[in-house]
Amino acid sequence: MNMIAPRRSRLVLVGNGMAGVRALEEILSRAPHEFAITVFGAEPHGNYNRIMLSPVLAGEKTFEAITTHPGSWYKENGIELIAGEPVAGIDREAKTVTGEFGTTRPYDVLLLATGSNPVIIPLPGHKLPGVIGFRDIADVETMLAASKSGTRAVVIGGGLLGLEAANGLARNGMDTTVLHIMPTLMERQLDPVSAGLLKADLGNRGIKVITEANTKIILGEDRVEGVQLAGGTHLPASIVVMAAGIRPNIALAKEAGLTCGRGIQVDDAMVTSDPAIYAVGECVEHRGALFGLVAPLYEMAKIVADRITKTADSDYIPAVTGTRLKVTGIDMFSAGDFMGDENTDDVVFRDAARGIHKKLVIRDDKLIGAVLYGEARDSAWYFDMIRNGTDISALRDTLVFGPSAGNSGEAAGVESLPDTAEICGCNGVSKGTILAAIGKHKLTTADQVRSRTKASASCGSCTCQVESLLALALGGDYDATPKVKPVCKCTAAGHDAVRAAILDRRLKTIPAVMDAMGWTASDGCASCRPALNYYLLCAWPGEYVDDSRSRFVNERMHANIQKDGTYSVVPRMWGGVTSSAELRAIADVVDKHQIPTVKVTGGQRIDLLGVRKEQLPDVWRDLNAAGMVSGHAYGKALRTVKTCVGSEWCRFGTQDSTAMGVALERMTWGSWTPHKTKMAVSGCPRNCAEATIKDFGVIATDAGWDLYVAGNGGIEVRVTDLLAKVTTKDEVLEYAAAFMQLYREEAWYLDRTAPWVERVGIDYVRTRLSDAGGRKLLQARFMDSQRFAQDDPWADRAAGADAHEFSTLASVE
Amino acid sequence: MDSHISVWTDVGHLNDIPRLGSRVVTTPAIDIALFRTADDRVFALHDMCPHKAGKLSQGIIHGESVTCPLHNWVIGLPDGKAKEPEEGCARTVPVRLENGRILLAVGGA
Ligand code: SRM
Ligand SMILES: Cc1cc2nc3c(=O)[nH]c(=O)nc-3n(C[C@H](O)[C@H](O)[C@H](O)COP(=O)(O)OP(=O)(O)OC[C@H]3O[C@@H](n4cnc5c(N)ncnc54)[C@H](O)[C@@H]3O)c2cc1C
Ligand code: SF4
Ligand code: FES
């Protein structure tokens, strides 16, 4: 007889964010098999590094790069993830939680980590579309979309979050104004002098700041059109970001009858007023204090893990935190009591010409606060003194010059820090811990240090110091240059960097990109020019003028060159369906132009081979006259959509695969892609259209349609991965458009979908496309670019375009 | 010495060739590809790649080179030489510009 294993305790986490998931990691490291874990998350994907939303908005990072826990992480750890369903109620009697869509799970231990919500000031007009907070990836996508259609943005609130939002919007080309109600920016982190320097630095980046601004009304009819200030000033805006603070998200806890103040009240063991329920993160109130940075939350995660797994009776003790602004090029740090009072002394250093201001606040021979602006490389050194209450009387004269003062010439650096000095403030990782990990595990890259110790895994501002520690530990063996694959030998820049620069710096011609990125050869080469031409076309649809001189011959001639210099012509046959009229027209064209070979292709259409260059426009004109257009058999573009007969005729077919294929081809034809793109639709799982080796494959089932991506034939055959299961035709089209656009926007030129997906991971693609909001935005961008792409290139040329391509310059006898 | 005598023949205007583009002049014996660089210099080569006779006129032009459309050999425009590591040479044809007219050394007299 089978033994029945003792039932595992059931742990439910509500809130799939930074604090909650960190707590799970801590729990798993202490007791990997003790709990059956379920996670409810309101957001429709795995956990990501929320801090890094600012660099995503600024175009410096992708969402994929900041995803810390993809779906596979939950799977590997045996955790049930219910993403996209917020918990609506807790029944403390029955010990169950129930989600908005009715999913119910019992718990023995419940952990709340619901974070906080942006404060939306209830001004008139605050509910208009286009008024948003800055909290999650959906907000970032809204801002990015706004920057594509509108030109002006207003950010209400000049704190950390507001300024990072403003910087991101400005980097996306928006004319951005920050409205701040106080007289100086970031008054909770900066003294007035450094706040003034910051304002000037932002001004240099084109960000306007209005302080003492009292916003009265948000204007607009159907969506936001601007804001009006108390003085009557009117600022037009197509998007208004409210960054006026955050408020713990306590609705669920309150409703369940847990004791709440401004946050969910917890004791030093992170237990709420119900002993079976714990809480961590920004949703809690601990000894009257609220939280807004990750460092204390990660500390809480350790305590709650100790307590839940009963491994230690540790208590949460609040500690000083430090802040940095994540705006590339602005170096600042602030910690502790940086304003001081009548019992403190200030030590101030200023170098106005270099825009540097440092202020140290000292009480009883101890450093209690610091603001460093313009140069913050010694922040770890000062922060260590603040946290440890070091006696600084002996150092006082030179303290403001940093650790290297006195031994001038020596570079100030990590070597002068004590082993206890905290390098990574977010994750509380000290210099000693990092050096020990480098030694013990033979680490050689910053990435390895990150995955071992978590140092630099959150806000990333200590990456430089981690690299210095590697250099210190490994000496000459450390090579900090990141291993990116350059676009070609004309540049050191990688594909992602080039694509980001095109968008960020609004580069709109090939020479502009080459100039901006320091190309070594003035007109590039046959590798980079086609890549840049594609990247520009993708970035600026309808605006960029295609450079035919940067196209490979087939795309320039709109036909495939053959080994003898003649061309082949493949007209589109929508979904592989043709008619007697089309076949008759093709036969006539073959006879009239004496085309030597006619062949049925592997892509379910007909190839006319051996057409001479000068014959092409005439052949096309005749095909056009019979209603046929280019099949793009020559392009890094949408090629064929193969179909099987499907439910119309086939005795096994479950859906009309032929009609679906035709619809897909009608939607996607004409679009240029990083490499060729092929689709197929099969009417049942027998899969006669070979949909599982296509870039986008669709297989009909009784219930609807299974969508597959990233397959190909060729030398290295790759079978597709399942992307999603959907029920309606519209959903198939929506996913197809969104997938195409994600591929178009993010893959490197000449990567088919298979190598691209292998590189970024199928989970990344699933995450991006499972989010309905994000998917619709991608679809919208795809459809927008199709408005400019669905012109038959053959018709243009049959009508006389690019005539010089098809005729000789002269004949000499 | 080559006994064949060529003359300068006016085959067209500089503007008939797009920048970084190419046009072909046919002769009874061979096709000649004319290339225009970014800085408006013109070069002429037999329109036959030394590799497998690809039409160089259909390649991508960059700097003083053209990349063959068939297998990506890179051929120098001034001397017709294939760049390392390939070996081979396309025949050059003398060409000059006079007041925007392109004069090519073809045809017998
Ligand atoms: C004409 C056709 C063969 C035929 O007679 O059936 C064909 C012909 C060529 N294929 Fe193909 N492929 C043709 C269907 C396929 C298929 C079958 C399919 O689409 O279902 C495949 C396997 C599926 C796939 O793509 O994954 C296929 C996999 C390839 C590959 C390998 C791709 C890969 O990712 O590994 C190449 C090489 C490349 O693209 O770099 C290739 C490249 C080529 C090129 C473009 C080679 C070249 O650069 O000249 C050939 C162009 C000939 C011409 O001038 O027309 N062809 N080729 C087929 C045209 C289909 C069409 O209607 O557009
Ligand atoms: C743009 C930005 C920049 C930042 N920069 C920094 C920085 O530089 N340094 C720093 O230390 N901190 C920074 N922060 C703050 C930091 O991100 C937060 O302190 C941290 O994310 C809080 O973690 P949390 O788990 O408490 O909340 P969250 O990470 O917000 O997680 C809470 C999760 O719970 C979900 N949820 C809420 N209610 C429910 C429900 N009923 N059911 C299911 N799920 C629910 C939410 O959708 C959310 O996903 C930044 C924040 C933002 C937005
Ligand atoms: S096997 Fe399935 S998909 Fe293929 S033709 Fe038959 S029914 Fe249609
Ligand atoms: S024919 Fe020119 S490279 Fe092969």
Side-chain angles (χ1 to χ4, degrees):
Chain A
M1 210 184 89
N2 279 340
M3 290 280 289
I4 293 175
R7 184 176 74 80
R8 288 193 295 168
S9 283
R10 281 179 295 236
L11 170 64
V12 173
L13 167 64
V14 181
N16 190 25
M18 297 190 72
V21 175
R22 177 56 68 90
L24 286 187
E25 283 187 337
E26 298 281 356
I27 290 171
L28 291 170
S29 76
R30 287 167 181 66
H33 309 297
E34 195 175 325
F35 296 95
I37 303 174
T38 297
V39 179
F40 277 91
E43 293 183 71
H45 28 58
N47 181 38
Y48 57 91
N49 184 348
R50 191 171 307 283
I51 300 183
M52 284 306 191
L53 289 177
S54 303
V56 172
L57 177 63
E60 292 160 357
K61 284 221 156 35
T62 59
F63 182 58
E64 163 253 343
I66 72 163
T67 300
T68 50
H69 299 81
S72 55
W73 180 83
Y74 298 84
K75 253 185 239 140
E76 280 153 22
N77 287 287
I79 298 172
E80 180 191 24
L81 172 62
I82 301 173
E85 178 170 2
V87 168
I90 305 171
D91 183 339
R92 289 166 51 201
E93 293 268 293
K95 286 199 165 179
T96 58
V97 297
T98 301
E100 198 173 284
F101 310 132
T103 312
T104 297
R105 291 288 178 275
Y107 66 81
D108 298 305
V109 179
L110 179 62
L111 178 56
L112 300 178
T114 48
S116 41
N117 293 322
V119 173
I120 301 289
I121 311 166
L123 299 168
H126 72 279
K127 288 199 170 135
L128 286 171
V131 180
I132 59 165
F134 183 17
R135 182 71 192 176
D136 54 29
I137 189 67
D139 295 330
V140 171
E141 278 167 358
T142 309
M143 286 190 246
L144 290 175
S147 73
K148 296 233 156 83
S149 54
T151 55
R152 286 170 210 272
V154 163
V155 176
I156 299 181
L160 188 94
L161 222 52
L163 296 183
E164 290 185 5
N167 178 58
L169 290 164
R171 291 281 301 262
N172 282 293
M174 295 198 95
D175 186 346
T176 306
T177 306
V178 176
L179 303 177
H180 192 48
I181 194 150
M182 302 299 284
T184 65
L185 290 172
M186 286 180 75
E187 70 286 347
R188 282 159 63 199
Q189 288 91 14
L190 292 181
D191 63 318
V193 179
S194 41
L197 291 173
L198 174 59
K199 186 172 171 181
D201 273 343
L202 293 172
N204 290 337
R205 286 150 189 266
I207 300 170
K208 291 187 234 19
V209 175
I210 306 181
T211 46
E212 295 177 79
N214 191 356
T215 314
K216 275 283 169 226
I217 309 175
I218 298 179
L219 307 163
E221 294 283 323
D222 304 328
R223 58 169 292 120
V224 65
E225 282 161 22
V227 301
Q228 187 169 319
L229 306 186
T233 309
H234 172 227
L235 298 165
S238 54
I239 186 152
V240 171
V241 180
M242 289 250 196
I246 53 173
R247 192 174 286 145
N249 186 358
I250 58 173
L252 182 66
K254 219 171 170 173
E255 162 73 41
L258 298 175
T259 311
C260 294
R262 287 180 299 157
I264 306 171
Q265 285 175 347
V266 291
D267 63 12
D268 289 354
M270 311 312 296
V271 179
T272 66
S273 57
D274 178 336
I277 305 181
Y278 295 75
V280 287
E282 283 185 352
C283 60
V284 309
E285 179 181 323
H286 174 260
R287 298 190 198 171
L290 299 181
F291 303 85
L293 293 171
V294 291
L297 312 186
Y298 286 170
E299 193 53 34
M300 289 177 194
K302 289 185 190 153
I303 309 300
V304 85
D306 283 347
R307 294 291 186 154
I308 288 179
T309 59
K310 303 196 173 62
T311 39
D313 284 337
S314 52
D315 284 325
Y316 176 67
I317 301 154
V320 198
T321 53
T323 321
R324 276 172 183 276
L325 182 68
K326 298 186 301 301
V327 171
T328 306
I330 294 186
D331 204 11
M332 76 127 289
F333 176 79
S334 151
D337 175 0
F338 60 88
M339 288 307 280
D341 52 39
E342 53 287 11
N343 301 318
T344 59
D345 295 331
D346 291 352
V347 180
V348 174
F349 169 87
R350 277 200 82 176
D351 182 341
R354 288 197 295 147
I356 296 175
H357 170 81
K358 302 184 187 181
K359 175 178 171 186
L360 305 177
V361 181
I362 297 169
R363 183 196 288 141
D364 302 335
D365 289 330
K366 283 178 186 153
L367 188 62
I368 62 160
V371 175
L372 310 175
Y373 190 91
E375 187 189 88
R377 59 169 189 222
D378 298 328
S379 58
W381 192 66
Y382 292 118
F383 194 47
D384 191 50
M385 291 184 191
I386 297 175
R387 294 190 80 145
N388 295 333
T390 315
D391 185 328
I392 50 101
S393 46
L395 285 170
R396 194 171 166 136
D397 289 349
T398 58
L399 190 63
V400 79
F401 301 108
S404 59
N407 44 350
S408 58
E410 284 278 301
V414 285
E415 61 270 29
S416 53
L417 294 174
D419 270 0
T420 53
E422 190 171 81
I423 300 294
C424 174
C426 293
N427 291 285
V429 189
S430 68
K431 171 179 165 181
T433 309
I434 297 175
L435 287 178
I438 293 174
K440 183 160 171 224
H441 302 290
K442 307 220 170 353
L443 309 182
T444 55
T445 68
D447 268 344
Q448 291 170 341
V449 174
R450 196 170 295 139
S451 52
R452 269 289 162 195
T453 65
K454 292 228 180 297
S456 79
S458 296
C459 83
S461 57
C462 62
T463 307
C464 256
Q465 280 156 308
V466 170
E467 290 188 333
S468 309
L469 283 176
L470 275 164
L472 183 69
L474 303 177
D477 294 342
Y478 179 60
D479 175 8
T481 43
K483 314 266 174 302
V484 293
K485 172 177 170 248
V487 172
C488 69
K489 60 189 186 326
C490 308
T491 176
H495 290 266
D496 287 335
V498 168
R499 300 202 76 166
I502 288 173
L503 291 171
D504 285 354
R505 299 162 70 177
R506 309 189 76 72
L507 306 173
K508 298 197 171 171
T509 63
I510 291 176
V513 179
M514 290 179 170
D515 247 21
M517 306 292 287
W519 240 248
T520 53
S522 70
D523 37 49
C525 70
S527 295
C528 57
R529 286 231 311 273
L532 296 182
N533 190 55
Y534 168 72
Y535 290 157
L536 288 160
L537 192 78
C538 177
W540 314 113
E543 188 177 347
Y544 175 67
V545 183
D546 200 288
D547 178 30
S548 67
R549 314 283 16 135
S550 297
R551 292 267 191 190
F552 177 65
V553 52
N554 288 357
E555 295 187 352
R556 183 158 28 84
M557 301 299 287
H558 295 276
N560 296 65
I561 196 164
Q562 304 294 316
K563 64 185 211 176
D564 63 354
T566 64
Y567 290 84
S568 78
V569 171
V570 185
R572 225 166 251 296
M573 270 179 188
W574 307 94
V577 181
T578 186
S579 64
S580 58
E582 273 186 1
L583 292 171
R584 198 168 289 120
I586 289 175
D588 288 344
V589 168
V590 170
D591 287 347
K592 175 171 165 198
H593 300 280
Q594 305 203 331
I595 295 172
T597 300
V598 184
K599 180 183 179 303
V600 174
T601 73
Q604 296 188 343
R605 43 205 195 161
I606 291 176
D607 196 353
L608 310 179
L609 292 134
V611 181
R612 278 174 288 111
K613 176 169 88 169
E614 55 281 8
Q615 287 179 299
L616 287 170
D618 287 339
V619 168
W620 295 336
R621 193 174 305 115
D622 292 344
L623 290 169
N624 278 164
M628 281 174 274
V629 297
S630 164
H632 293 86
Y634 46 78
K636 310 289 178 243
L638 180 92
R639 296 260 175 111
T640 60
V641 181
K642 302 212 301 196
T643 68
C644 75
V645 284
S647 60
E648 275 288 285
W649 294 97
C650 176
R651 66 204 168 101
F652 294 118
T654 59
Q655 311 272 355
D656 190 348
S657 49
T658 315
M660 177 61 83
V662 172
L664 278 168
E665 190 163 357
R666 292 269 177 204
M667 177 179 80
T668 53
W669 77 274
S671 78
W672 296 105
T673 44
H675 202 304
K676 62 187 179 190
T677 306
K678 299 177 177 182
M679 301 191 179
V681 187
S682 288
C684 88
R686 288 169 192 76
N687 191 16
C688 300
E690 299 163 332
T692 46
I693 52 158
K694 291 292 173 280
D695 297 281
F696 190 85
V698 181
I699 296 181
T701 62
D702 288 328
W705 308 91
D706 290 353
L707 309 181
Y708 293 89
V709 296
N712 61 220
I715 300 173
E716 257 186 80
V717 182
R718 184 181 192 275
V719 174
T720 46
D721 296 312
L722 179 66
L723 174 68
K725 291 169 177 285
V726 301
T727 45
T728 65
K729 178 173 170 181
D730 284 349
E731 285 172 299
V732 175
L733 294 176
E734 181 177 316
Y735 271 89
F739 177 75
M740 286 274 282
Q741 189 64 7
L742 190 67
Y743 169 57
R744 296 180 75 236
E745 290 179 0
E746 299 193 359
W748 300 343
Y749 192 66
L750 294 191
D751 263 356
R752 274 191 82 173
T753 57
W756 169 63
V757 167
E758 300 249 299
R759 184 163 57 77
V760 303
I762 182 66
D763 281 324
Y764 167 69
V765 177
R766 284 191 193 127
T767 308
R768 289 290 304 266
L769 294 186
S770 62
D771 167 31
R775 189 171 67 238
K776 290 211 159 63
L777 283 173
L778 282 165
Q779 178 196 25
R781 290 206 292 280
F782 181 73
M783 297 315 287
D784 181 58
S785 75
Q786 284 298 81
R787 290 196 294 134
F788 309 101
Q790 291 194 326
D791 277 330
D792 177 28
W794 288 358
D796 291 347
R797 281 152 192 83
D802 288 345
H804 59 84
E805 299 285 5
F806 306 101
S807 62
T808 51
L809 179 62
S811 281
V812 179
E813 290 305 312
Chain B
M1 276 288 304
D2 198 336
S3 61
H4 184 78
I5 302 164
S6 296
V7 294
W8 292 111
T9 309
D10 185 332
V11 291
H13 192 271
L14 176 67
N15 291 341
D16 296 334
I17 313 177
R19 278 216 177 101
L20 295 177
S22 170
R23 297 291 298 275
V24 173
V25 172
T26 58
T27 74
I30 39 114
D31 286 356
I32 298 169
L34 274 72
F35 303 92
R36 176 174 172 187
T37 62
D39 56 1
D40 291 341
R41 286 171 306 142
V42 172
F43 295 100
L45 296 175
H46 284 196
D47 195 10
M48 269 194 355
C49 177
H51 180 217
K52 291 193 176 171
K55 289 195 185 284
L56 298 174
S57 57
Q58 304 299 303
I60 290 182
I61 296 141
H62 44 96
E64 286 194 345
S65 307
V66 58
T67 297
C68 176
L70 290 198
H71 316 97
N72 290 331
W73 281 29
V74 179
I75 310 296
L77 297 177
D79 55 9
K81 278 211 180 94
K83 303 270 178 232
E84 305 267 341
E86 318 306 346
E87 273 177 40
C89 201
R91 287 274 297 270
T92 59
V93 181
V95 62
R96 63 192 175 90
L97 277 175
E98 217 165 77
N99 301 325
R101 302 302 308 177
I102 304 166
L103 304 179
L104 192 63
V106 284

